[in-house]
Amino acid sequence: MSDLSDRRDRDTVYQPAEDSQLLLEAACDRLAWADRVLDVGTGSGYVAANLRASLDAEVIAADINPHACRAAADHGLETVRGDLGSPFASATFDAVVMNPPYLPAAPALPDDWLELALTGGPSGRAVIERALRTLPRLLRPGGRLLLVVSTLSDLDAVRAHGNRLGLTGRTVAEESFPFERLVVLEWTPADHS
């Protein structure tokens, strides 16, 4: 797997960390069947580039951050700039993967790209909840959404939100650290079961 941690734009682009690696491993384990995958909030492009190398699938990288789009494109990834899944038509992907901002903190300033990649509002769930509302429409029948969530964002609240939206979620990977536990939740829309 390629190491993209030597990237320029360290002060504006989220670099691979433990959460990136956990999402990548879960996606490689869970998505061997997928033909078309979207990496939302791609950051450095680490997950997308490694999925492309590991899966026999078309992988598209998307980010709202123009610096992240440039970093992903530098790795030969097809890259689209946009907010969550807004640039894409419904039922376009077999799978969507995302390592969203999940740290509880005050909202970042609009031009602080790195802080926007890290913080999920006071609860840590602002972007996660938007992703659960908007990304499932991108999935083809049988599609899956893989989402990294931290215990700092209250896993029970995230699961309850997904359930209220008609999504079925289950933990497919996890890793514990002294200050948090990271999990990858696989979400399936009720009409995709």
Side-chain angles (χ1 to χ4, degrees):
M1 308 235 170
S2 76
D3 177 14
L4 303 178
S5 61
D6 61 344
R7 296 297 320 136
R8 64 179 180 223
D9 298 326
R10 287 189 167 279
D11 57 341
T12 57
V13 176
Y14 185 74
Q15 297 301 313
E18 293 85 359
D19 50 4
S20 310
Q21 188 63 37
L22 185 65
L23 177 60
L24 174 61
E25 291 170 2
C28 286
D29 288 345
R30 306 288 306 164
L31 303 180
W33 56 272
D35 290 326
R36 195 159 196 238
V37 179
L38 175 64
D39 178 19
V40 174
T42 196
S44 68
Y46 174 80
V47 172
N50 282 292
L51 281 177
R52 183 184 61 191
S54 300
L55 302 177
D56 185 21
E58 175 187 9
V59 179
I60 297 173
D63 207 301
I64 197 168
N65 177 345
H67 307 284
C69 289
R70 183 181 63 225
D74 285 349
H75 293 284
L77 292 163
E78 182 178 347
T79 306
V80 175
R81 183 172 182 216
D83 185 30
L84 293 175
S86 62
F88 302 100
S90 296
T92 305
F93 298 96
D94 296 305
V96 176
V97 300
M98 185 179 188
N99 182 5
Y102 55 73
L103 295 177
L109 297 174
D111 61 347
D112 188 344
W113 293 112
L114 187 56
E115 197 64 24
L116 284 169
L118 297 171
T119 59
S123 70
R125 296 187 302 276
V127 177
I128 293 168
E129 289 176 354
R130 284 186 55 229
L132 289 173
R133 277 192 312 273
T134 62
L135 294 178
R137 77 165 180 82
L138 302 178
L139 297 172
R140 295 174 178 160
R144 303 285 185 259
L145 167 62
L146 297 179
L147 194 68
V148 175
V149 181
S150 167
T151 51
L152 298 174
S153 302
D154 187 350
L155 290 173
D156 290 336
V158 171
R159 285 186 180 106
H161 184 76
N163 292 339
R164 282 192 301 275
L165 294 171
L167 302 171
T168 301
R170 65 186 189 109
T171 300
V172 295
E174 62 183 283
E175 188 169 351
S176 292
F177 300 92
F179 53 92
E180 70 180 331
R181 183 169 50 99
L182 296 174
V183 301
V184 176
L185 296 173
E186 180 182 72
W187 295 94
T188 308
D191 58 353
H192 286 194
S193 300

